[in-house]
Amino acid sequence: RDVIGKAEDFVFSRSLDDTSLALGAAMIPYSIEAHTVDAEREETRTKLLETEVALAEKDEQLRRKDEIRNQIESHILELRSARHSSAHSSLLPKTDEFNSFLDGTDDWL
């Protein structure tokens, strides 16, 4: 209150407006030391950036793995449907062994 020249009985408004923000910012002491980056903070920042890069690489690996699994599953489904409706169905084996192979591959995924 002394800073803005108001008496002791002056009551600040409970609302936060532009004027109070500017006044608050002006009253905060500015220190160059508070804004310098020390070695420990820089080391922490570097470690966090390395972790972020590693996680991004892991995400890309998982995305690629899921994409490959989806392609294999799609191929399995195409083979199953081709046995019954394709012009090339005669080229596919008619045995239960082929069905069990497809089922085994699908279960493996």
Side-chain angles (χ1 to χ4, degrees), residues 56-67:
E57 289 173 0
K58 183 70 172 175
D59 285 345
E60 180 60 28
Q61 288 174 354
L62 290 174
R63 186 197 61 76
R64 182 69 181 137
K65 186 177 180 180
D66 287 343
E67 186 178 300

Side-chain angles (χ1 to χ4, degrees), residues 82-93:
R83 288 185 64 198
H84 303 290
S85 62
S86 173
H88 303 289
S89 63
S90 62
L91 301 174
L92 296 173

